[in-house]
Amino acid sequence: MLKGVIFDMDGTMFDTERLTGHCWKKLGETLGFNVTDELLNDCRGKNTAVIRRLYKEAFGSDFDYDKAREQKRMLFNEAIDRDGVPIKKGLKELLSYLNEKGIKSVVATSTEKARAEELLKCAGVYERMDAFVYGDDIKQSKPDPEIFKVAAAKIGCQKEECLVIEDSEAGLLAGISFGGEVIFIPDVAEVSKETRAKVSKTLENLEAVIGWLEVYNR
């Protein structure tokens, strides 16, 4: 019986990975550095410290990642202010189902607390979650399973009672290592065939998770 669902945020709850990639590429064009799809994919699911290292490896040790990141964030915020947070299909329906069935829900995101809470509240789902684990709450970045261990503890569940929902290679590997059920919902991140083969199920969207849970928890 599954008693808790652990949600990744960017690319899983929200369609923000595409927006982030667009903003980085736009900034790169303006400032004269080429943000490749490969670099963006390597960064997905990772925390700020790892992403900073990857950008410095790509553009040199003198690259001011934090300054560039702040400029990217301004572009990102302009888009959110204009269009709102892009919510993934089925998110609110799934959260309603979990609440109805008494299944706990927890966010486990590599994004730092201040930024993640801003997005969750803007999207109107913050109050609907039972707990949160942010990138600055943990020491190890995905694919290390630390974040999911902390998330499960926060909702009082054992790993075998948890479902992890993820979209990135790093996140899926963390979920597999954690040891609970893992659902892959494809987004823009590239995921290897080897990792895809190890997940419990690949589903088209969050709405489809409801049917999967109905069968699993019979």
Side-chain angles (χ1 to χ4, degrees):
M1 175 70 72
L2 292 177
K3 299 180 180 180
V5 175
I6 304 174
F7 289 85
D8 171 55
M9 188 182 75
D10 292 297
T12 301
M13 297 176 70
F14 306 141
D15 192 10
T16 42
E17 291 288 10
R18 285 181 180 82
L19 179 56
T20 294
H22 171 76
C23 291
W24 269 118
K25 283 178 174 287
K26 184 176 180 180
L27 179 64
E29 291 171 1
T30 301
L31 299 182
F33 59 92
N34 181 31
V35 179
T36 64
D37 291 334
E38 181 181 11
L39 175 59
L40 290 170
N41 197 65
D42 286 344
C43 291
R44 291 188 176 106
K46 310 294 176 53
N47 65 19
T48 301
V50 174
I51 295 173
R52 181 184 293 107
R53 174 176 58 78
L54 291 171
Y55 269 78
K56 284 183 173 290
E57 288 175 357
F59 303 121
S61 58
D62 292 335
F63 179 75
D64 192 340
Y65 168 77
D66 294 293
K67 181 178 179 180
R69 179 170 177 251
E70 190 57 38
Q71 291 174 288
K72 182 272 300 181
R73 180 172 290 178
M74 290 175 64
L75 295 174
F76 184 95
N77 288 344
E78 288 173 4
I80 296 297
D81 290 343
R82 181 180 65 247
D83 303 319
V85 178
I87 297 173
K88 283 300 196 91
K89 180 180 179 181
L91 174 61
K92 293 189 176 181
E93 290 82 357
L94 177 54
L95 291 177
S96 294
Y97 173 84
L98 298 178
N99 181 67
E100 176 188 336
K101 297 296 182 179
I103 300 172
K104 298 290 186 180
S105 58
V106 52
V107 174
T109 176
S110 298
T111 302
E112 67 275 15
K113 180 178 179 178
R115 183 62 182 147
E117 284 192 350
E118 183 179 3
L119 287 174
L120 290 162
K121 290 176 180 178
C122 185
V125 297
Y126 181 85
E127 296 78 8
R128 303 181 69 174
M129 309 302 297
D130 293 294
F132 310 87
V133 186
Y134 304 108
D136 39 2
D137 292 332
I138 58 170
K139 294 180 180 179
Q140 301 298 323
S141 180
K142 299 172 186 176
D144 189 281
E146 178 191 4
I147 193 168
F148 295 140
K149 292 178 181 178
V150 174
K154 282 203 170 190
I155 55 174
C157 291
Q158 300 298 313
K159 62 182 181 182
E160 59 270 17
E161 298 173 323
C162 290
L163 166 65
V164 171
I165 306 179
E166 269 281 0
D167 71 292
S168 71
E169 178 93 8
L172 292 167
L173 289 172
I176 293 164
S177 179
F178 169 60
E181 300 292 332
V182 181
I183 284 181
F184 170 42
I185 299 184
D187 189 53
V188 296
E190 295 179 12
V191 175
S192 68
K193 291 182 180 179
E194 292 77 13
T195 298
R196 288 170 180 255
K198 294 177 183 178
V199 303
S200 308
K201 191 72 174 179
T202 297
L203 296 174
E204 183 179 358
N205 54 53
L206 291 170
E207 190 171 19
V209 177
I210 296 173
W212 186 89
L213 282 167
E214 280 284 286
V215 173
Y216 190 96
N217 275 347
R218 279 179 184 170

